[in-house]
Amino acid sequence: MSIDPQTLLDWFDANARDLPWRHADCTPWGVLVSEIMLQQTPVARVLPVWRQWMERWPKPADLAAASQGEVLRAWGKLGYPRRALRLHTAANTIVAEHGGEVPADVDTLLSLPGIGAYTARAVAAFAYGRRAPVVDTNVRRVVARAVHGAAEAGPPSTKRDLDDVEALLPDGPDEARAARFSAALMELGALVCIARKPRCDDCPLFADCAWQKAGRPAYTGPTRPTQRYSGTDRHVRGLLLDVLRGTTGPVEKAQLDLAWPKAGQRDACLASLLSDGLVEQTADGRFALPGEH
DNA sequence: TATTCGTGGTG
DNA sequence: TCACCAAGAAT
């Protein structure tokens, strides 16, 4: 079972969202920034932060010149703030080793911090029009249904997933067409072939969908235990970081202690934040975002 | 391969 | 209400 490229591309032409990082005048840097921000983060929350970010730091060299604290502050509450630090480091590497230009080669992109199998190919395809299998959670779901006839994708396996999508990419000299196909596959998974209640009535692949033909069987594979958030280390780290984001300079530990009642967990989380470089301790024992003292 | 790492909207 | 979900990467 396969997917007809032109059918999907026609649907994409008519239904793609008008996102700023898809505009013709968006730079590869803008695409890279968007891809990092979009990791595990909804489009609606990324949009305003991305706009401010690109206005403030329109080139890698601009971000490289900023302090870590400024970067974390601009990242705001997008979540997973280590992404911001890694993007900052990547910008420095891009300036130091790539002439200030975002690399177009997948392997070079993979060598940058915060850029993995998905993001490297997304940048190669969406910023540079390269033919590359772009596999995210949306694409895995579309392929699971339309190609494999399963309700959900099983546990991820990078190599197998890449091979699956590679086999779907249109061949020929027009790499930009293959790149658009990758974007279209993602967009279909984001808008139509969605997780909870797929909108099969609106799907351009309905007639050929393996899952439809199989009678829409329920998912039978392994399920992930639902992860709680309240009270976890992630929660506590977020609370601590939020205190530092909310103030200009260093704060006393006593102020951080207000953020969470369990001293043991709180101190362990503060230690992990220090270890991750998300927080620094000043000479007089106070705490601040990195570079802000 | 399985866990860890934020945050907030939603059905 | 609360479990699920949202363009993953690093270890």
Side-chain angles (χ1 to χ4, degrees):
Chain A
M1 190 61 62
S2 189
I3 293 176
D4 177 56
Q6 198 56 49
T7 300
L8 184 59
L9 287 166
D10 287 345
W11 174 86
F12 187 60
D13 288 342
N15 296 281
R17 288 168 292 180
D18 178 29
L19 301 171
W21 44 83
R22 287 177 174 166
H23 290 183
D25 63 349
C26 182
T27 63
W29 169 243
V31 174
L32 172 56
V33 171
S34 79
E35 292 300 340
I36 299 290
M37 289 183 174
L38 286 163
Q39 290 167 3
Q40 301 289 284
T41 310
V43 167
R45 203 179 314 163
V46 166
L47 276 170
V49 181
W50 183 87
R51 289 199 183 93
Q52 295 176 249
W53 195 283
M54 295 312 296
E55 185 172 344
R56 184 171 182 185
W57 298 305
K59 296 183 302 182
D62 301 317
L63 183 67
S67 77
Q68 292 177 311
E70 288 179 285
V71 170
L72 285 172
R73 222 174 262 290
W75 192 258
K77 305 197 78 172
L78 277 184
Y80 296 136
R82 291 183 297 180
R83 290 183 292 169
L85 252 32
R86 289 174 183 145
L87 180 55
H88 184 246
T89 302
N92 277 277
T93 301
I94 288 168
V95 169
E97 298 181 17
H98 305 290
E101 298 292 327
V102 174
D105 172 69
V106 169
D107 288 326
T108 308
L109 287 161
L110 282 171
S111 73
L112 298 172
I115 298 186
Y118 162 77
T119 303
R121 289 169 182 81
V123 171
F126 305 152
Y128 291 107
R130 302 291 180 87
R131 182 181 185 280
V134 178
V135 184
D136 74 331
T137 182
N138 291 308
V139 170
R140 279 169 28 77
R141 185 172 54 247
V142 172
V143 171
R145 289 175 180 159
V147 179
H148 299 310
E152 298 176 29
S157 165
T158 302
K159 175 163 176 39
R160 179 170 51 70
D161 295 341
L162 286 173
D163 289 347
D164 272 3
V165 176
E166 163 69 36
L168 297 174
L169 291 182
D171 289 310
D174 191 353
E175 286 204 44
R177 184 166 182 266
R180 268 187 292 119
F181 178 87
S182 288
L185 214 46
M186 278 184 61
E187 191 75 339
L188 189 71
L191 298 182
V192 175
C193 195
I194 53 183
R196 49 232 153 71
K197 207 168 216 171
R199 302 170 47 200
C200 299
D201 289 348
D202 299 322
C203 184
L205 308 183
F206 183 88
D208 293 322
C209 177
W211 188 47
Q212 293 295 337
K213 292 181 176 178
R216 298 177 58 141
Y219 179 67
T220 55
T223 67
R224 305 255 318 131
T226 166
Q227 79 262 359
R228 212 164 281 295
Y229 177 66
S230 184
T232 61
D233 286 355
R234 274 178 13 229
H235 185 186
V236 176
R237 284 165 55 105
L239 291 173
L240 293 171
L241 218 45
D242 204 36
V243 172
L244 297 178
R245 264 190 239 110
T247 66
T248 305
V251 305
E252 303 288 344
K253 181 161 188 308
Q255 190 171 343
L256 291 177
D257 289 345
L258 266 35
W260 190 251
K262 298 168 117 178
Q265 185 186 21
R266 184 211 307 141
D267 291 347
C269 286
L270 181 55
S272 76
L273 288 170
L274 289 163
S275 169
D276 288 343
L278 288 164
V279 176
E280 283 179 358
Q281 193 164 18
T282 63
D284 62 5
R286 293 182 294 167
F287 296 90
L289 293 179
E292 297 204 332
H293 55 269

